[in-house]
Amino acid sequence: MSEPQVAADNVRAMLTENLGRVRKANSDYFDMVEKGLSSSQLPIAGQAKQFCDHMRRQTTATFDLCDRMIQAKDVPDIVRIQSEFFQDQMRALMDQGRSMGESAMKAAAGVFTPKS
């Protein structure tokens, strides 16, 4: 194996290891936030949990992107991976906007419903 290839493989191994550490720390953080939200008495805790779930999915997708970029073979591969990620993010953003809009409408309907 050539010296540049060995160096590239070493960099990939280091990046993969570090990304695994950051991924674990991120997962621990979201676990802690979700635990706090589940014990919260705040009326918006449900919406906060939904937002937290969205953020967890987004960071997971970003970590997955990093994994794929680390393994990319060349520039066209990187461009393809980035393009796919962008398209997936746009779909996720539209879905999340729709979901949060529905939640907001339900919450607003509950506020304006006359109490007997």
Side-chain angles (χ1 to χ4, degrees), residues 33-34 36-53 100 103-104 107-108 111:
V33 169
E34 287 178 4
L37 288 173
S38 67
S39 63
S40 174
Q41 299 300 317
L42 295 174
I44 62 164
Q47 286 81 14
K49 174 145 179 26
Q50 183 181 17
F51 180 74
C52 187
D53 289 344
M100 291 189 90
S103 293
V111 169

Side-chain angles (χ1 to χ4, degrees), residues 27-79:
S27 178
D28 292 347
Y29 169 76
F30 277 113
D31 290 345
M32 180 184 67
V33 169
E34 287 178 4
K35 185 177 179 182
L37 288 173
S38 67
S39 63
S40 174
Q41 299 300 317
L42 295 174
I44 62 164
Q47 286 81 14
K49 174 145 179 26
Q50 183 181 17
F51 180 74
C52 187
D53 289 344
H54 169 72
M55 292 305 297
R56 183 187 286 259
R57 284 191 304 274
Q58 292 301 99
T59 55
T60 298
T62 302
F63 288 134
D64 292 346
L65 169 68
C66 292
D67 281 335
R68 293 178 67 203
M69 297 283 270
I70 289 169
Q71 300 305 320
K73 306 279 188 257
D74 52 22
V75 173
D77 201 20
I78 290 172
V79 171

